[in-house]
Amino acid sequence: MRKTQTLRLTRQRSIILQELQNLKTHPNADEIYEIVRKDIPRISLGTVYRNLEILSDIGQIQKLELGGTVKRFDGNTENHYHIRCVHCNKIVDASMDLIKDLEKNLNGNSGFTILDHRLEFLGICRDCEESLSNLEEEIAKPM
Amino acid sequence: MRKTQTLRLTRQRSIILQELQNLKTHPNADEIYEIVRKDIPRISLGTVYRNLEILSDIGQIQKLELGGTVKRFDGNTENHYHIRCVHCNKIVDASMDLIKDLEKNLNGNSGFTILDHRLEFLGICRDCEESLSNLEEEIAKPM
DNA sequence: ATTCTTGCAAACATTTTGCAGGGCA
DNA sequence: TGCCCTGCAAAATGTTTGCAAGAAT
């Protein structure tokens, strides 16, 4: 949890936020670093990590902790659902309304105070579908 | 995807599987390593990682790719939902029936072939709730 | 006998952190 | 001016991999 302190709006912080809000994708820290580097060539990856952490702490962006080992970030701070390609790990927003009161379906006493939920669909994206079927044709060919 | 090859049932592999099936928890690779080490003191962490990967590839265990950066594993191979403590990252099974056909709620064409879904509730576990309220009392005290 | 698997260690990938100098409020 | 923030580099963390020896089929 972040201490109550006066945060400063530095060029680095504001550009990271701005770029993230403009994107419809769900980049990881390194991808954000590469994008912001076009504006601030000498920015460091450490600064990117620190600011992503701060911005998500204060609710200006969303840290996505979904499938995969790498953290991703989202300029859209509303809870919404995602679809992830199990093959290439691409993530897109799911066009589906939020299910309210989903936690009412929980039976018994879990001992948890439920705050929210995350829903992720797993699937195969069109690109991977195509490359997989090409691969199958290739394998089926006699040598 | 795993090549079709004859897998061998080694002592290491069978004990990892067995221990994981006995656990109700959702350990990460290192925790599994510590547990299995009691049976096979000279097992290496690399072997644990390799076997967890293989066992989940062949569907004997489940790799949980939920919140958090660390991979966790589950001896229960049925899709089921989880509750995660946002404070200590503890994960427990949610007692809630699987929602069938959830993907029918997806509007429009995502371009994905949907295979499955993952649902995770976020909350605060009882332990963290207590330690947080103790902390607040502590802070409220005059010095 | 074959070849899959292991232990070990090194390599990798990702994220965090200490520090001295710089810049926002 | 105070102290938050930055760039840089090193460290920490988590996971994968090359290799020679060992074990399962």
Side-chain angles (χ1 to χ4, degrees), chain A residues 2 10-17 19-20 27-38 40-56 61 63 71 73:
Chain A
R2 181 152 297 276
T10 60
R11 189 162 136 67
Q12 287 83 345
R13 185 165 300 160
S14 90
I15 289 184
I16 289 170
L17 176 58
E19 292 290 358
L20 203 41
N28 60 34
D30 201 66
E31 289 164 346
I32 295 165
Y33 172 60
E34 290 303 333
I35 290 165
V36 174
R37 222 135 74 98
K38 289 172 190 154
I40 313 175
R42 296 184 55 93
I43 195 172
S44 77
L45 185 54
T47 295
V48 172
Y49 271 104
R50 273 184 289 229
N51 277 304
L52 289 171
E53 199 59 36
I54 290 171
L55 289 169
S56 75
I61 65 172
K63 195 194 301 181
K71 285 179 187 168
F73 298 85

Side-chain angles (χ1 to χ4, degrees), chain A residues 57-92:
Chain A
D57 271 5
I58 62 176
Q60 296 277 87
I61 65 172
Q62 192 173 170
K63 195 194 301 181
L64 301 181
E65 298 190 317
L66 295 167
T69 287
V70 180
K71 285 179 187 168
R72 290 162 174 277
F73 298 85
D74 194 332
N76 177 359
T77 57
E78 300 280 308
N79 186 14
H80 57 284
Y81 305 146
H82 295 95
I83 310 175
R84 173 166 59 101
C85 177
V86 295
H87 198 250
C88 69
N89 272 311
K90 186 193 304 168
I91 295 182
V92 303

Side-chain angles (χ1 to χ4, degrees), chain B residues 8-10 29 45-46 49-50 69-71:
Chain B
R8 290 173 186 181
L9 189 59
T10 60
L45 185 54
Y49 271 105
R50 274 184 291 228
T69 289
V70 179
K71 286 178 187 168

